Amino acid sequence: MANNQSSSTASSEEWVRILSNDGFSYLVKRKVATASGTLKNMLSTESNFAEAASNTCPMSERGIIVEKLCEYLTFKTLYEKVPPKEDIPDFMERLAPEIALELLMAADYYDGVWFLHTSRPDQVDRRSWI
Amino acid sequence: MLCQRVVALHADRLESLEGVRIDLARPLLDKCSAETLLRLEEASPEITEATVDAWKSLCFSLYPLAAQSVCMEREPASWRESFFCIREQEARRFEDLKVRLRSQREEAEQRKKEGQVKYTDRLPPAKRRGWIPTPPKSLFQKTRSDAVKVSKGIYSLHRNPTMPATMGQKILPIPTNAKLLPSPPLRSLPTSSATSGSRVTVTAISVRRNSTATLKSSPKPSAAISQSHHPIVIHSQASSDAKRQKLTVVDCNDLPSPKPSLIERTTPLKPPLPRRDPKTSLFIPKHRVSSQLPTALGVRSRG
């Protein structure tokens, strides 16, 4: 039991690599990457996917889109378990309109991490996700 | 919906929705304008079925009354066509209203301008007499007509406003301290052939009662005064070497008052009276000599 907990903790602190289609790579913590449902399935150790074995997830998106995705995943992980009274910055300000449509399509593919009714990750209703 | 919110804020900058799922694109289409919807339909024909609701919501948001009237009978086949028809109707209605408002405003301004006081230094147009256009007078003609008016004003009996014909003529007594003044030299008056043949005519205004005897004793060549029942013969004074003027005999019966008195003449030119009513200046002739006011001729009794 203790070994399982330590192994899960160790795995959550592991770094995983996310690759864009134009050659950019982004290193994020496993717990950050698993905030996305699609990436969580890809990196699951229970599956026999190559991404899980190599801790590398290639994405068919441009580098700027992948960067924004990783940025949001980090934001979500950071403010998911904060007390309600704490002020959370608005992530909408960080979204450029030029990439908004492309980001919408990428977010739809990577399992609804963007379908938040509010910009507060702690108030997300998982049933509202796709 | 963060991404959807951002895209909706900049919906009019969308070029195409190719590859976007309809359920993702539907909330975005509601935020688009008519031109954007047309552009997106041309670029991505697959979203045509999704734009029906967008056109309907656009009709109701921009032209609610017209859309309600269209929808009352039955649902139109194409909300897109209905939108453009309604837009044209509204544009024509606004144009008519604009023209009407503009004409009303112009009419009001015109009425206001007509009622305003206008300052000008030009003379008003001459009144037409009998609708016969008279040719403009030359300087010589103007001078001649002025001279006629002056002479008639001084010596004409009928033109004296102080002695209206309806009331008859009344001779007023002159106070004793008044002096007999000679009549003004007629040489100064312009005589012209336009005075219908007569050079000078004398008007008998008033005869001094008290000085009748003195006058009788020392008759002056300047004035000859007769008694009441005799015809009054008056001739204007000229210088001793002056030519004799034509005498005009005025029958005493024409004069209703039996009191003879001397004609008292004052100097023709008097200094202007102070504090004159500006309205009276309209009726005073140009030359004060021919002024028909009582003060000018000394008819009004003093004291």
Side-chain angles (χ1 to χ4, degrees):
Chain A
M1 188 95 168
N3 288 335
N4 286 339
Q5 285 179 356
S6 62
S7 64
S8 66
T9 308
S11 64
S12 65
E13 295 298 319
E14 277 183 340
W15 294 92
V16 295
R17 188 186 295 272
I18 300 175
L19 299 172
S20 67
N21 61 4
D22 52 357
F24 291 95
S25 62
Y26 300 87
L27 289 169
V28 295
K29 293 264 176 84
R30 184 176 280 272
K31 65 176 180 182
V32 171
T34 53
S36 162
T38 307
L39 289 176
K40 184 180 178 182
N41 294 333
M42 288 165 74
L43 293 169
S44 172
T45 51
E46 296 170 359
S47 63
N48 291 323
F49 291 132
E51 291 83 3
S54 62
N55 289 333
T56 305
C57 289
M59 293 174 87
S60 57
E61 304 292 340
R62 291 192 294 146
I64 183 67
I65 304 297
V66 175
E67 182 180 333
K68 202 53 75 173
L69 274 171
C70 294
E71 191 177 334
Y72 180 77
L73 290 172
T74 309
F75 167 84
K76 181 174 179 294
T77 308
L78 188 62
Y79 292 103
E80 198 172 24
K81 290 172 185 174
V82 295
K85 292 183 182 178
E86 189 169 328
D87 287 333
I88 296 173
D90 188 7
F91 195 79
M92 210 165 102
E93 297 171 354
R94 307 175 71 88
L95 294 177
E98 293 82 8
I99 59 168
L101 187 61
E102 206 173 338
L103 201 56
L104 173 66
M105 292 163 66
D108 177 51
Y109 178 76
Y110 287 100
D111 198 11
V113 293
W114 303 100
F115 285 85
L116 298 170
H117 292 278
T118 65
S119 58
R120 292 184 64 101
D122 56 325
Q123 295 174 5
V124 170
D125 181 7
R126 289 180 182 272
R127 286 173 295 180
S128 68
W129 289 17
I130 292 180
Chain B
M1 297 204 183
L2 284 174
C3 289
Q4 278 187 333
R5 267 190 257 164
V6 173
V7 175
L9 282 173
H10 302 89
D12 288 330
R13 292 160 71 174
L14 287 170
E15 292 286 333
S16 167
L17 287 174
E18 195 173 345
V20 181
R21 273 205 343 246
I22 289 179
D23 56 343
L24 287 178
R26 208 182 294 272
L28 307 176
L29 295 174
D30 291 337
K31 306 286 182 185
C32 293
S33 64
E35 287 73 25
T36 307
L37 279 175
L38 280 174
R39 188 169 66 237
L40 292 173
E41 281 180 349
E42 281 179 31
S44 317
E46 61 270 15
I47 63 167
T48 307
E49 59 186 52
T51 57
V52 173
D53 292 332
W55 286 113
K56 186 178 177 181
S57 63
L58 205 60
C59 282
F60 277 95
S61 63
L62 293 177
Y63 313 110
L65 294 173
Q68 275 175 12
S69 62
V70 165
C71 196
M72 264 169 66
E73 294 176 10
R74 64 175 180 181
E75 194 90 359
S78 167
W79 274 106
R80 185 170 66 169
E81 303 300 327
S82 305
F83 174 82
F84 288 114
C85 288
I86 291 170
R87 192 161 78 166
E88 279 176 21
Q89 282 174 12
E90 292 293 310
R92 258 185 267 123
R93 194 166 71 88
F94 279 124
E95 196 63 38
D96 292 341
L97 283 171
K98 199 166 55 174
V99 167
R100 204 185 303 166
L101 274 172
R102 197 184 296 142
S103 63
Q104 280 177 0
R105 206 182 312 129
E106 282 173 3
E107 279 172 16
E109 281 177 14
Q110 194 72 22
R111 264 185 261 120
K112 198 178 172 185
K113 275 185 188 175
E114 283 172 6
Q116 280 178 349
V117 175
K118 294 177 186 174
Y119 296 96
T120 180
D121 56 353
R122 293 183 184 176
L123 291 171
K127 289 181 186 177
R128 291 183 183 179
R129 294 178 183 180
W131 295 94
I132 300 169
T134 56
K137 286 186 177 177
S138 67
L139 194 61
F140 183 69
Q141 284 174 333
K142 283 182 189 174
T143 312
R144 188 186 290 176
S145 60
D146 284 346
V148 168
K149 285 178 190 173
V150 164
S151 61
K152 284 183 182 174
I154 296 174
Y155 301 109
S156 169
L157 208 162
H158 301 289
R159 287 185 182 267
N160 190 349
T162 59
M163 296 172 65
T166 54
M167 288 177 59
Q169 298 195 6
K170 187 180 176 182
I171 299 173
L172 301 174
I174 298 174
T176 55
N177 58 356
K179 288 184 184 176
L180 271 178
L181 297 176
S183 59
L186 291 175
R187 229 185 243 169
S188 61
L189 298 172
T191 57
S192 64
S193 57
T195 57
S196 66
S198 63
R199 289 194 180 178
V200 175
T201 53
V202 179
T203 305
I205 304 298
S206 62
V207 180
R208 195 175 173 188
R209 199 191 298 173
N210 294 335
S211 56
T212 304
T214 55
L215 280 173
K216 273 186 180 174
S217 59
S218 58
K220 292 183 182 178
S222 60
I225 300 156
S226 64
Q227 294 300 325
S228 61
H229 296 289
H230 295 274
I232 300 170
V233 179
I234 303 159
H235 64 84
S236 60
Q237 185 198 10
S239 60
S240 56
D241 300 330
K243 304 168 193 175
R244 277 222 176 145
Q245 304 291 339
K246 185 177 176 182
L247 297 178
T248 304
V249 176
V250 177
D251 197 275
C252 185
N253 294 331
D254 295 338
L255 303 173
S257 174
K259 295 181 185 175
S261 57
L262 284 175
I263 300 167
E264 183 173 326
R265 309 215 49 107
T266 57
T267 55
L269 296 172
K270 273 197 169 181
L273 299 170
R275 288 190 183 180
R276 297 193 72 152
D277 189 3
K279 290 179 187 174
T280 59
S281 65
L282 291 172
F283 303 101
I284 291 181
K286 200 192 301 187
H287 301 286
R288 294 196 181 278
V289 175
S290 59
S291 173
Q292 293 169 3
L293 287 177
T295 53
L297 298 171
V299 176
R300 196 175 63 187
S301 63
R302 296 173 188 170

